Each structure stands twice: as structure tokens, then as C-alpha cells.
Amino acid sequence: MNILGHFINGQAADGGTRTADVYNPALGQISKQVALADKATVETAIEVASSAFQAWRDTPTLKRAQVMFRYKQLLEQHADALCRLITEENGKTLSDARGELLRGIEVVEYACGAPEFLKGEHSRNVGPAIDSWSEFQAIGVVVGITPFNFPSMVPMWMFPMAIACGNTFVLKPSEKVPSAALLMAELLTEAGLPDGVFNVVNGDKEAVDTLLADPRVEAISFVGSTPIAKYIYATGTANGKRVQALGGAKNHAIIMPDADVDNAVNALMGAAYGSCGERCMAISVAVCVGDEVADIVVDKLQAQLSQLKVGKGTDADAEMGPLITAQHLQKVRGYVDLGVEEGASLVVDGRELEVSGAQQGYFLGGCLFDRVTADMRIYREEIFGPVLCVVRVENQQAAMDLINAHEFGNGTCIFTRDGEAARYFSDKIQVGMVGINVPLPVPVAYHSFGGWKSSLFGDLHAYGPDAVRFYTRRKMITQRWPSGGVREGAQFAFPSMK
């Protein structure tokens, strides 16, 4: 069976005696294996990245940007191959994989602007013959630890900006979906990136803990569940590293009485069931203002769910694929069982779904709960599957109070025709990413992505302008060149222009 390794110093590399099985979720079958890096292998990747740092840091910014321009072109040329690998290992539909890849490429495009966003600032004559300026300087070896649900996009939230800023990078992707990262590494080398600047180590907790502890690592970016995000943040910062750790979510959509309900229901279908609900931005709670709105929304969702096409990601007409693993399938099914026990009304039950020709796949049909309450675990906890909960409230303020009281604050949206209601919502809601009639308000590459509360640990968001701040240190330089032979005596007062 094919065993995937790592990518270190510009080439494929072996390392580690342990392996993990990689599954095709649509078939429920092992498709390949991946080597799990041991401590020595990870340390080799860090050493290679550390050795490559100084030369890459000193490479003119325009030349670094030119690598990104070529990389963007290669990603587009190899898009079909990348999407097939994503679908084979993650299970999502090919169209969803392409959408993911395109959003990742947008970050590469933004990274091409490094000569502009790294210019710094300059002030002449801040004092007599004194000039001051700032520089954004690379910080060294940085690390990305990424989840299974976006094998190309989430890594590209990190490494293009880090590399364009002059750092070297070690990526530890999810061992469930290793192939896309390895191909992206090969394409970076083909784009002209020097050996050692970008490295990939596949592995599990042993690899993660090695990256967290090594003093040569300066910064860590992470996306995953909240418990692991807390661990990454606490351990990384305790070891003196800069850390941004994006965690879980429980994203709400408010449907107001004046909303375009057909538009809202269409949006909810994609936002709740796209990617099989395995998105940190997935809408998992629909908060309907008033029973009349709730009844209409539930009826329309039920009708659309009866037509939802679930199948292998390679099927041309598939709208939703399988969950990632058998274990996760059982976990999500367990939440559906729990919701019934808790007294929620299971309007649509996807637990008995079978997909023709893929009976061993990890499929679960779309599930819909009505009359969910805030004390239920299916409301409080992140399910990360195709399960949508409908909560009924009396007014907009009650809906917002519900959202603001929740542990997570990643994304939210409101469906309304009322500008005043929308403005009040966007101003007062305690969530990091807000949509107005937009169900998945994922920022474009020249803004930054991140939630509030237990959805983010660290001060800076992912990609966009925050990435420049995260992957660089600002250095302020003030200089004076005395002229005319003038010499001043010692000045004991703090310098001031007053």
C-alpha cells in the first residue's frame, strides 16, 4: 500500500516508524497510509527551516512576491488534481473542493502584494535633523497546524503570508488528509521557493508537542476544536511563542418576520448542510423570531431536505458528501439520538440514509430539529455535522441575547429587510464575523478571519492585515546625523518637542 511521507528541504522525505491509515470516507475504505513523524523528523524539519531563514529573510521582497505569483499560476493549473485529492480524502464534493481551493488562492493573491504591505512608515524631521521610520521584519521559523475539513484553504490562510513576509514555515496538516499539503509543497518548489523555506511534516500529537516545545519555533497558527486550541495556546505561549489558535463555533442565523423567507431557507440549506456541516462557519442554529416565521421556515426546510442529493463527492449531482470518519459519524449520530432524548422535535431524520454503491461510506442525511431550547446539549455544543437546530424566540432582542450568551462567538447572520434592525444587530452582537443576509460571512483575503470568545485564542486574526502583524515584528528606527560641527551638551530631561 502507498505510504506517504513528508516534505523536507525541498523534497519528499521519510521519517517515523509509525503510520496511520488514510480513508476514502465515501467508500469507508483505506486508500493509503501516512507516516507519522517522530520527534527527530520534526526537529530535522525545524532545523532545515531555521537554516534557510536568514537567506530568505534577506531576499528582496519583490522576489518573494514573484514566487507567489508563479505559485498562484501553478495552483490554478493543478486545480483538478488538488480537488480530486481533497475529495478522495475528505469526502466533500468536487465543487466544494474547488470553492475551497479558490478561497485559498485568494490569500496567495494577497500575499503577492508583499512589497506594498511591508513598506513600513517614514517620518522626516521628527526632531532637529532627526528622522524616524518603521520596518516590518520577519520573525523566523513559524508553524501551521491545520484541520481535516479544509485541506488546502486553511493551510493557505497561513503559509503564503508567512513566507511572503520573509519567514520559513513548517506545516503539520491533519493526518486524515495529507495529500493536498504535499502536492502544494511540490508546487511551491516548482514556483522557485528555495529549499527549506516550506516544509511539511505529517504526524499526530508527538509531532505537535515537538513543534510547541522547540525553542527555534517563533510562532504558531492553529485551526481546530476549542479544547485543542486552548491546549495549543497555553502550551505555546508558556514556551514563549506567539500563538493564534482558532477554535470551535456554534453559529446562529436570525430569521426576522420581514425576511425574504425563500432566500433565507436557500441560504440555510447551503450554510447548514454544505461540506456535511464540517465547517467552523456552518450555520447550526436558526433562530426564528415568532412562531409564524418558524413554522414557515421549518416546512420549507423539510421540503428542501427531502430533495437533498447526498452521495460520493465525485458524483456530478452530489450536493453533500460523507462525514470524515466512522468515529465522527457515530459521534454526530449520537448527538441526533441525544436531541431526541432531550425533547427536541426531530423533523427530518437522516440516520437511516443509505447511498447506493457506497453502503460502507460514512454518510448521514441532513437532520433538522425544531423547538430546541438553550439548555439542550445539541444547542450548547458544536456538533460539526449536518444537523440544524431551530430555536423559537419572541423578538430580535431575545434572539441576540441568546447568541451573546453562548460560549462561542465565531460567525452569525441576520435575515431581514429592515436596515435599522440590521444595523442594531451588527453593532450590538458579540460575534467576530457578522453577515447581513449573508449566511457565511467569511472575510475576503484582504480582510482578516477570526471569532470572539472561545472561538479564538490570541490577539490577531488569520490572513489579511492581521497576518502581516502576526508574522512580523515592527521595528522603529530613529536616526540623527549632526551637521556643521555642532556639538550639544548632555540633555538630562526626557526628549520632547514641547
Side-chain angles (χ1 to χ4, degrees), residues 429-463:
I429 204 70
Q430 296 171 21
V431 175
M433 292 171 284
V434 179
I436 310 298
N437 298 315
V438 175
L440 298 174
V442 179
V444 293
Y446 42 90
H447 291 279
S448 296
F449 180 106
W452 290 7
K453 298 185 280 190
S454 291
S455 293
L456 174 69
F457 301 89
D459 298 322
L460 292 170
H461 291 190
Y463 64 80

Side-chain angles (χ1 to χ4, degrees), residues 7 56 63-75 77-78 108 159 183-194:
F7 190 91
W56 182 244
K63 288 190 175 181
R64 299 202 299 258
Q66 288 168 347
V67 171
M68 289 298 151
F69 275 111
R70 292 191 292 269
Y71 186 50
K72 172 186 179 294
Q73 184 177 26
L74 288 168
L75 287 169
Q77 290 174 357
H78 293 81
V108 178
F159 70 79
L183 179 52
M184 289 191 294
E186 293 174 10
L187 296 178
L188 258 177
T189 297
E190 187 177 341
L193 191 72

Side-chain angles (χ1 to χ4, degrees), residues 309-332:
K309 297 181 177 63
V310 182
K312 293 179 289 186
T314 51
D315 293 347
D317 61 346
E319 296 169 326
M320 189 176 85
L323 290 160
I324 184 68
T325 63
Q327 294 79 9
H328 191 55
L329 171 62
Q330 292 307 311
K331 178 182 177 181
V332 177

Side-chain angles (χ1 to χ4, degrees), residues 356-437:
S356 178
Q359 284 81 1
Q360 302 306 310
Y362 310 135
F363 290 97
L364 179 71
C367 298
L368 176 64
F369 279 107
D370 190 10
R371 302 189 182 277
V372 174
T373 57
D375 60 329
M376 295 179 180
R377 282 180 57 196
I378 61 167
Y379 170 77
R380 299 195 314 269
E381 299 176 11
E382 183 178 34
I383 297 175
F384 220 59
V387 181
L388 178 62
C389 297
V390 174
V391 177
R392 297 170 179 241
V393 296
E394 293 183 356
N395 53 52
Q396 179 181 350
Q397 189 59 57
M400 292 175 59
D401 290 345
L402 192 73
I403 297 169
N404 287 341
H406 204 282
E407 172 191 2
F408 297 115
N410 202 50
T412 188
C413 68
I414 188 171
F415 292 96
T416 182
R417 291 185 174 96
D418 186 334
E420 181 182 3
R423 192 174 191 275
Y424 180 77
F425 174 76
S426 63
D427 185 48
K428 302 297 184 181
I429 204 70
Q430 296 171 21
V431 175
M433 292 171 284
V434 179
I436 310 298
N437 298 315

Side-chain angles (χ1 to χ4, degrees), residues 330-366:
Q330 292 307 311
K331 178 182 177 181
V332 177
R333 285 177 62 95
Y335 271 111
V336 180
D337 297 341
L338 176 64
V340 174
E341 294 173 10
E342 290 182 312
S345 174
L346 184 56
V347 179
V348 179
D349 184 354
R351 289 175 292 181
E352 301 307 318
L353 173 76
E354 286 192 7
V355 174
S356 178
Q359 284 81 1
Q360 302 306 310
Y362 310 135
F363 290 97
L364 179 71

Side-chain angles (χ1 to χ4, degrees), residues 55 70 76 137 151 153 168 170 195 227 242 262 283 319 334 427 450:
R70 292 191 292 269
E76 292 169 342
Q137 295 191 347
M153 184 183 73
T168 54
V170 179
D195 293 348
R242 185 180 293 187
D262 287 333
I283 294 295
E319 296 169 326
D427 185 48

Side-chain angles (χ1 to χ4, degrees), residues 21-22 45 116 182 186 275 279 332 380 403 407 444 497:
D21 295 330
V22 179
E116 174 65 25
L182 293 172
E186 293 174 10
S275 297
R279 293 171 175 162
V332 177
R380 299 195 314 269
I403 297 169
E407 172 191 2
V444 293
M497 290 298 293

